[in-house]
Amino acid sequence: MSEAAKNPSAGEPIIRIENVSKIFGGTVKAVDNVNLEVARGEFFALLGPSGCGKTTLLRMLAGFEVPTHGRVIIDGQDMSKVAPNKRPINMVFQSYAVFPHMSVEQNVAYGLKMDRRPAKEIRERVAEALDLVKLGSLGKRMPDEMSGGQRQRVALARALVKRPSVLLLDEPLSALDAKLREAMQLELVRLQKTVGITFVIVTHDQSEALSMANRIAVMNAGTVQQVAPPATLYEAPANRFVADFIGKINMIEGDAVAAGEGEVKVTAPAIGEVTLAGNATGKVALAVRPEKIFVDEKEPTDPKLIKVKGKVGEVAYFGSYSNVFFDIGTGAPLQADISNVSSDIEEFTFKAGEEYWVYWRKADTLVLGD
Amino acid sequence: MSLFKRNPDPMGPLDYSRRLSLRITVAVTLFFLYAPIIGLIAFSFNDSRRNVVWRGFTTDYYVKLFNNDALMLAFANSLTIAVFTTIFSTVLGALTAYVLWRYRFPGKAIYEGGMALPIVIPEICMGVAMMVFFARIGWPSGMMWPFNLSAITIAHIAFSFPFAAIVIRARLESFNPELAECARDLGASEFQVFRDVVVPHMKPGLIAGALLAFTLSLDDFVITFFTSGPDTVTFPVKIYSMVRFSVTPEVNAASTVLILLTLVVTAFALRMQNRNNMLGSAAH
């Protein structure tokens, strides 16, 4: 409350994207009527396959593209047509774009010099920013003497030193090797908590988005499919695209008709008729995550379960679990992630052709429309 | 026991330097490339007027050379023209390259082709064209030095700047556009982006382009011949007129000086480029 009292606009979202479209060359709709709000201090992710428009959206926030329609409002001001150098936003580029002819310090100081800050202030803020990204002792180094991870830290310090209201990150981890990427994910979250600046990250890597962001917008073909916290995206995807894009999922095609308040009756091959919570009617997919599926030799009796008979097909062993494909006679195999909870190898070895009862809870079943 | 004796160190498929045919090719190439130049330099010290047989070592012809006022003036003319040509060609070339690289505009292909035309047009045609052009528009002649060199300098700039533009353009191709966007994002104006990010990247291209323009201008004969008057003789043109009388070691000495000058300028440019790189890595 006191925070809001000090800053009357604190309740306002820091970024508001209103009906924004971007059409390239008169025909190519890269971004199609997008509405989004990003709250102050949020770690927000734009997630989607390549070509879904997420980078174009980011570039419109930075000012490198002007929206064809709609408005981009940053910190209460319409910034749709404001040049990139006049926006309270800074960006970490995919290639890091560290100036190769400048030392680390000069790189970090560049933005402050453009703002004509006094030399003393620049020195202090550069040192502070370098400490923040743990490069305090490397200020005199040239970029070509640094590793990819260190160069990325330079890019981060260079953007953060300007104290922007929003920091944009364009696929920041894609150029790093797997181990460094994991470390950097934690580092970015730590950094965001320390500086309290709103982060907007663009990524095609769902694990990156899920592990770092407070909220994620999933995009496809220029439109926003769903905006939700990571767990909601995973457990309650809004449609087939989101369900399929985030994690692994089984989909059984069926037909649904409304059956009372918030319930639908679904008819699907191999399963028969089942009443589930949901709203979608017509052609739907019954979707269930592989780790929510159980396997037994005996037929389960609990009425809260959906059960089918399945024949073991492909088996992929991953150590802590096995990814087993069951043929349930629908054409599309049903995959289940079975945890290897016992060290008895025999007990968790699935052989092709064996028959099992495959079942899952009705509550874990999603009814997804298009 | 093998029937065939094995070579203890057989030639590998990529051991080109051990093939006789290649060794001969390299030797012949080097011979025809450098023997005339070395001969030229050696005979500039020949103590003979006829310059056919070696008569003994002397530096007399260098003394004579430096006392030859007409030749010295020609030398000064050449250097002046070359310096101005270098400056203007590099700036023009850089701007042309930047425009072609950065912007898309109608008629860009035509502009690009038109710009490169002086490279492919035979020099003789260009020389004649320049001569006719300057006569037709009545370009003033007989001005005081160095303004009397303006016609030659303009002609030199016209044919050297496309070379500079091409070299600089090639360098720009390796520029990461995100660098420019990043500078913009950090608050730089379009001009500041050009000055702080694009020009530093262009630097090796600028040096190479300048060097190219300098050497092109310094040793150009054909176009200069058509645009020079009696009082605006350049070094190559002067040497040509000297050769018409007789090939004395003085001509050799003059050529040697020209070679030396080119080498010094090239070495200087390379050094500058290296020092830039070294400054970069020695900063910590």
Side-chain angles (χ1 to χ4, degrees):
Chain A
M1 283 307 274
S2 61
E3 192 67 41
K6 262 184 284 176
N7 187 352
S9 62
E12 270 276 290
I14 188 101
I15 296 173
R16 205 158 67 224
I17 296 169
E18 288 180 352
N19 307 316
V20 164
S21 295
K22 178 70 189 178
I23 300 164
F24 286 114
T27 48
V28 184
K29 247 189 186 175
V31 172
D32 191 359
N33 197 23
V34 164
N35 285 285
L36 270 181
E37 283 187 358
V38 178
R40 220 167 269 272
E42 208 173 9
F43 198 132
F44 193 87
L46 291 169
L47 174 66
S50 47
C52 72
K54 57 190 192 296
T55 298
T56 308
L57 198 59
L58 193 78
R59 289 175 63 81
M60 284 194 280
L61 287 176
F64 297 120
E65 308 285 356
V66 175
T68 316
H69 305 293
R71 297 200 301 165
V72 173
I73 294 160
I74 298 163
D75 218 351
Q77 279 180 299
D78 185 355
M79 288 275 170
S80 312
K81 293 186 170 69
V82 176
N85 53 339
K86 303 270 194 297
R87 294 190 184 206
I89 272 190
N90 285 107
M91 182 156 164
V92 173
F93 289 82
Q94 190 169 8
S95 68
Y96 313 147
V98 176
F99 304 133
H101 57 286
M102 295 185 196
S103 71
V104 169
E105 277 174 351
Q106 288 168 330
N107 260 287
V108 179
Y110 187 77
L112 297 177
K113 271 190 196 139
M114 291 298 108
D115 291 348
R116 301 181 173 278
R117 309 306 307 174
K120 184 165 170 284
E121 186 195 328
I122 294 182
R123 254 199 320 280
E124 286 167 5
R125 279 171 71 174
V126 167
E128 193 186 319
L130 286 177
D131 281 339
L132 186 68
V133 297
K134 297 173 184 166
L135 285 179
S137 56
L138 302 179
K140 299 275 186 273
R141 285 266 181 100
M142 292 306 283
D144 60 2
E145 301 163 322
M146 309 188 93
S147 66
Q150 287 173 324
R151 277 205 285 273
Q152 180 174 50
R153 286 162 189 271
V154 175
L156 272 168
R158 187 176 56 181
L160 287 171
V161 78
K162 291 202 66 175
R163 299 181 184 148
S165 10
V166 180
L167 182 75
L168 306 177
L169 301 112
D170 185 8
E171 304 266 5
L173 306 175
S174 61
L176 302 176
D177 60 64
K179 230 190 184 137
L180 201 53
R181 197 178 309 156
E182 254 169 57
M184 216 47 210
Q185 283 181 14
L186 296 173
E187 181 89 21
L188 281 176
V189 172
R190 176 193 71 86
L191 206 58
Q192 198 262 343
K193 284 207 178 105
T194 315
V195 296
I197 291 172
T198 312
F199 277 30
V200 176
I201 181 174
V202 152
T203 180
H204 65 271
D205 184 335
Q206 46 164 306
S207 67
E208 240 171 73
L210 291 172
S211 65
M212 290 195 287
N214 306 127
R215 273 197 318 145
I216 300 170
V218 179
M219 290 186 69
N220 185 37
T223 58
V224 173
Q225 303 287 320
Q226 188 175 8
V227 186
T232 312
L233 274 189
Y234 188 77
E235 302 296 355
N239 56 35
R240 280 174 197 244
F241 177 81
V242 177
D244 198 35
F245 189 72
I246 308 276
K248 292 184 291 189
I249 201 155
N250 294 297
M251 298 215 201
I252 301 162
E253 301 298 326
D255 294 291
V257 289
E261 189 69 13
E263 287 197 327
V264 286
K265 193 191 277 177
V266 186
T267 319
I271 290 172
E273 210 174 82
V274 58
T275 305
L276 294 164
N279 295 310
T281 51
K283 289 263 172 223
V284 295
L286 288 184
V288 60
R289 299 278 181 197
E291 74 276 9
K292 300 197 165 58
I293 292 178
F294 298 88
V295 173
D296 207 331
E297 280 157 6
K298 295 190 293 287
E299 180 173 0
T301 51
D302 192 336
K304 289 194 190 114
L305 298 175
I306 297 176
K307 60 194 174 193
V308 288
K309 260 201 129 129
K311 206 188 268 177
V312 176
E314 309 263 319
V315 180
Y317 179 73
F318 286 98
S320 63
Y321 70 98
S322 293
N323 184 220
V324 188
F325 285 83
F326 291 96
D327 178 8
I328 56 166
T330 56
L334 196 70
Q335 56 171 320
D337 286 348
I338 313 288
S339 276
N340 294 337
V341 290
S342 157
S343 54
D344 182 353
I345 293 173
E346 276 306 307
E347 194 177 340
F348 286 96
T349 303
F350 292 89
K351 291 183 189 69
E354 286 177 336
E355 285 224 343
Y356 288 96
W357 279 99
V358 182
Y359 61 95
W360 61 92
R361 299 194 310 146
K362 282 180 180 174
D364 292 333
T365 315
L366 302 158
V367 183
L368 300 173
D370 294 316
Chain B
M1 289 283 117
S2 162
L3 266 177
F4 301 99
K5 228 197 271 170
R6 280 240 172 130
N7 185 340
D9 184 14
M11 187 158 59
L14 294 174
D15 271 352
Y16 293 123
S17 61
R18 286 169 63 183
R19 291 200 185 147
L20 188 63
S21 57
L22 266 154
R23 285 178 172 193
I24 290 170
T25 314
V26 170
V28 168
T29 309
L30 290 178
F31 179 75
F32 282 111
L33 201 59
Y34 288 110
I37 295 172
I38 291 164
L40 173 98
I41 294 170
F43 273 82
S44 71
F45 297 105
N46 189 7
D47 191 6
S48 150
R49 282 186 57 77
R50 285 278 149 251
N51 208 6
V52 196
V53 278
W54 182 258
R55 284 279 180 78
F57 182 86
T58 180
T59 52
D60 281 356
Y61 288 99
Y62 283 90
V63 177
K64 240 180 134 181
L65 179 78
F66 287 106
N67 289 328
N68 184 339
D69 287 341
L71 194 64
M72 278 298 107
L73 177 67
F75 191 61
N77 283 347
S78 271
L79 275 184
T80 311
I81 294 166
V83 166
F84 281 106
T85 303
T86 305
I87 294 166
F88 281 99
S89 299
T90 311
V91 172
L92 266 179
L95 294 178
T96 309
Y98 185 71
V99 164
L100 285 174
W101 170 76
R102 174 75 173 77
Y103 299 102
R104 264 190 285 175
F105 49 89
K108 182 178 172 179
I110 298 167
Y111 177 65
E112 204 167 358
M115 180 214 81
L117 217 52
I119 294 171
V120 290
I121 288 181
E123 254 192 296
I124 186 81
C125 304
M126 189 109 168
V128 174
M130 283 288 176
M131 181 183 72
V132 173
F133 173 73
F134 283 119
R136 185 77 184 79
I137 65 168
W139 190 262
S141 59
M143 289 182 289
M144 62 174 287
W145 195 89
F147 298 101
N148 55 354
L149 304 172
S150 52
I152 302 178
T153 310
I154 290 169
H156 280 201
I157 294 167
F159 79 78
S160 344
F161 97 87
F163 288 95
I166 282 176
V167 174
I168 296 164
R169 175 84 194 272
R171 173 67 191 171
L172 277 173
E173 287 304 324
S174 65
F175 184 77
N176 173 7
E178 282 197 347
L179 287 176
E181 285 183 345
C182 181
R184 200 103 169 83
D185 186 64
L186 291 167
S189 65
E190 279 279 346
F191 173 72
Q192 284 166 327
V193 171
F194 181 72
R195 186 194 62 193
D196 298 341
V197 183
V198 182
V199 170
H201 180 84
M202 280 203 290
K203 213 173 205 170
L206 291 175
I207 291 172
L211 203 61
L212 206 57
F214 186 83
T215 47
L216 279 172
S217 165
L218 196 65
D219 73 353
D220 179 74
F221 176 76
V222 179
I223 292 170
T224 316
F225 188 74
F226 284 95
T227 42
S228 64
D231 54 342
T232 55
V233 172
T234 68
F235 202 59
V237 175
K238 181 68 189 167
I239 290 179
Y240 173 71
S241 68
M242 283 163 73
V243 170
R244 283 206 301 188
F245 291 112
S246 65
V247 186
T248 64
E250 204 179 339
V251 173
N252 288 28
S255 310
T256 306
V257 169
L258 193 59
I259 291 171
L260 214 66
L261 185 76
T262 321
L263 284 179
V264 166
V265 171
T266 312
F268 178 73
L270 287 178
R271 221 188 106 97
M272 220 163 75
Q273 216 162 335
N274 278 342
R275 211 196 17 209
N276 272 328
N277 294 345
M278 268 158 54
L279 265 185
S281 47
H284 61 96

